[in-house]
Every structure is written in C-alpha cells, then in structure tokens.
Amino acid sequence: MRLGRIVVLLTAVLFAAPLASAYAQDGLPGPTPHVQMPGQGTVGVAPGTNVPSVMPASVTAIVADDNYRLGAGDKMKITVYDEPDLTGEFLVDGAGEVQFPLIGQIQAVGLTVHQFVGALTATLAAKYLRDPKVSIEIENYRPFYIIGEVNKPGEYPFESGLNVLDAVALAGGYSYRADHSDVYIRRYGSSEEKEEGFAADTKIYPGDVVRIPERIF
C-alpha cells in the first residue's frame, strides 16, 4: 500500500462579519451544500436548495473519512490559489498548531481536514483575501504504534486504509502467545484504551496505539 492522501478542495464566497461570528460560536465550518465523493458521484444538498446566510456559497469538497483528526506530526501541503506566498508545506507542531503566513498560529489538532480548511479559509476571507480558494493534501501522517503479542512491536508509518490485520502484518505477525480473537486500541487524543473485539476491517488511524493481548491458556 502507498501513503494515502487526503485532498480537500473548498471554494467559497465568504462574508467576514457573519462567518467570523459563526466560527466564534462553535469553531466549525459552515454547512456544505455540495460534496463530491471519489467514485460515488455527487451527494449533499440538491441544486437550488437555500443555504443559510452564514455561508451563502457553493462549496465543493473531496472529503476522506471524517473520523480522521489532524494531530501533531502531520505534514500537509496547503495551496492558496493565485497566492504563491501563501502556498507551501506546513507541519502541525507539538502544540497542535500550524504557523501560517499573515495569520500566524492557527489551531489544527482535533479538526478534520475539512474543518481545518474551513477555519483557514474563513480567517483569510475575514482579514486578508477576497474569495480565497484553498486546497490541502496530507503528505505525511504521524505514525501509529502496535504493542503486545506481535513479533516486532513498535512505531510504524501510517498507510491509507490501514486496518488491524494490516497493522499486525507490519509488526511481523502474531507471537505464539497472542490472542487472535481480541484487540485493544487507544485512539489518538484519548487517554482510554478500549477493547474492540477482533474485526479484520477495524480501522487504524494515525497516532493510534494498538495492543494485541496474550491469550489465556
């Protein structure tokens, strides 16, 4: 498997005052009236549907799994169209923020890619640019970790579409003591480890800690 990319293209006509108020209230991007999912056609609000005035715009986005949240160590390419000085590679730092030209520090940790694009676009529109067009590609994800009863426990690069079986395979397979019927996962940003049961298609996300328990003889 190759490193996956999340690409989000968000095009919006934004009004500074009402949009800034909406973001101050809940910290999330406005409604998305038009969404294009890869290989699935168009879903979302039908053409002609009224959109609340907080975001009176047509928004087109290619959105990956919204369970994925940005975190420290993620490296992304941000493109602001027709603004080469605002385009480049940016890292989510240890404080969970991105240092961005003009804006300075902008919060990223805990947001989906779609939400981060919305926050960045809104800030640029409110203070600096008229009708900014922003796209983001995740170039390098933070790693995940697998511990317990595998042959090579440790840190591994995240790959798009990773599941429990993939993670075990990357770690050299089960040890002879492993319980093949159970797995524990501590999701990135959580302090709690949860028993997932074993499902081959259980997804692993960047920063997760996967633990394979020892079987009871």
Side-chain angles (χ1 to χ4, degrees), residues 10 14-16 19-20 23 116-127 132:
L10 181 63
L14 302 165
F15 294 99
L19 188 55
Y23 274 83
F116 180 72
V117 171
L120 178 57
T121 303
T123 304
L124 289 172
K127 297 181 179 181

Side-chain angles (χ1 to χ4, degrees), residues 27 63 94 154 167 177 183:
V63 184
R177 295 183 300 269
V183 63

Side-chain angles (χ1 to χ4, degrees), residues 5-203:
R5 289 176 178 249
I6 299 178
V7 183
V8 176
L9 176 59
L10 181 63
T11 305
V13 179
L14 302 165
F15 294 99
L19 188 55
S21 174
Y23 274 83
Q25 182 177 356
D26 58 22
L28 298 177
T32 302
H34 184 109
V35 176
Q36 177 74 31
M37 297 299 290
Q40 297 181 22
T42 301
V43 296
V45 179
T49 300
N50 290 329
V51 180
S53 60
V54 66
M55 195 168 184
S58 173
V59 180
T60 302
I62 299 176
V63 184
D65 191 339
D66 264 355
N67 287 318
Y68 175 69
R69 305 279 169 163
L70 292 167
D74 283 341
K75 183 179 179 181
M76 65 184 84
K77 181 180 179 181
I78 301 177
T79 301
V80 182
Y81 293 94
D82 297 323
E83 298 290 341
D85 291 341
L86 302 181
T87 295
E89 294 182 347
F90 299 87
L91 183 70
V92 182
D93 64 23
E97 298 176 323
V98 171
Q99 179 71 32
F100 197 78
L102 296 180
I103 296 172
Q105 297 293 108
I106 181 169
Q107 187 71 20
V109 70
L111 299 180
T112 66
V113 177
H114 194 179
Q115 289 171 349
F116 180 72
V117 171
L120 178 57
T121 303
T123 304
L124 289 172
K127 297 181 179 181
Y128 306 105
L129 300 177
R130 182 179 179 181
D131 188 21
K133 298 175 178 63
V134 178
S135 75
I136 288 182
E137 295 179 60
I138 303 296
E139 298 205 320
N140 291 101
Y141 298 94
R142 59 193 180 273
F144 77 97
Y145 305 85
I146 182 166
I147 59 177
E149 296 302 327
V150 289
N151 289 314
K152 297 178 181 179
E155 172 187 306
Y156 288 90
F158 175 78
E159 299 178 352
S160 181
L162 194 75
N163 59 39
V164 169
L165 279 183
D166 297 328
V168 171
L170 286 171
Y174 293 107
S175 74
Y176 72 92
R177 295 183 300 269
D179 181 352
H180 293 213
S181 63
D182 213 350
V183 63
Y184 293 82
I185 299 176
R186 178 162 59 85
R187 298 295 185 185
Y188 179 79
S190 172
S191 60
E192 296 183 4
E193 179 185 74
K194 292 186 178 181
E195 183 178 1
E196 298 285 343
F198 189 87
D201 59 353
T202 297
K203 290 184 178 180

